[in-house]
Amino acid sequence: NEACCQCGGGHLTPTEFKYPDRRFLLGSDVTLAPEPRTAEHYTLDEACELAVYNLTFDSATGVVSSVPGMDKPIEEFTVECTVTAHPADGDFFEAPLIVVVEPIAYESTVLIFGNDETYDALSPPGFG
């Protein structure tokens, strides 16, 4: 009876989530979403500085994205925040959010080079 979630027993734990480990190219749009989406709403820690870099946070979905119509930063940056998921059952979970924008970026954060492997760097908007 101690492990019965239907009858109120057991130990309920919040569902873990994370943000993908991605790097973005200077001048490109930023979009990051929690995986999996686990909550009814999300909040950021008070020290989070997404707005400094013209990024916005959707508290209903947990999605971070570039603000449409605003200039994109012209220098590389990294911003780190803590996102808290607030599900209906009240068991919240926190995860780090790290946004990295660099002058050179690749589709993958891990590159494995072999004899015949090549990786093309992403092209900035308007180049390629």
Side-chain angles (χ1 to χ4, degrees):
N1 210 10
E2 290 180 23
C4 179
C5 296
Q6 298 254 334
C7 64
H11 179 68
L12 301 177
T13 59
T15 302
E16 294 183 16
F17 71 99
K18 66 179 184 170
Y19 283 86
D21 183 11
R22 283 199 55 204
R23 305 298 191 256
F24 295 92
L25 188 63
L26 271 175
S28 65
D29 287 325
V30 170
T31 302
L32 281 174
E35 297 175 349
R37 184 170 167 228
T38 62
E40 288 188 346
H41 74 278
Y42 297 81
T43 56
L44 293 170
D45 63 287
E46 290 183 22
C48 186
E49 296 185 330
L50 292 176
V52 170
Y53 304 101
N54 292 335
L55 298 172
T56 187
F57 180 77
D58 184 329
S59 63
T61 63
V63 172
V64 175
S65 58
S66 301
V67 177
M70 297 290 290
D71 291 335
K72 293 176 181 59
I74 59 172
E75 294 184 16
E76 64 185 286
F77 69 87
T78 300
V79 61
E80 297 185 32
C81 305
T82 299
V83 177
T84 304
H86 301 269
D89 64 12
D91 288 333
F92 66 89
F93 185 83
E94 292 181 345
L97 165 67
I98 303 171
V99 180
V100 180
V101 176
E102 301 173 311
I104 297 175
Y106 294 89
E107 288 289 333
S108 175
T109 57
V110 176
L111 303 177
I112 301 172
F113 291 94
N115 292 338
D116 297 326
E117 298 294 323
T118 62
Y119 297 94
D120 294 327
L122 300 175
S123 298
F127 295 93

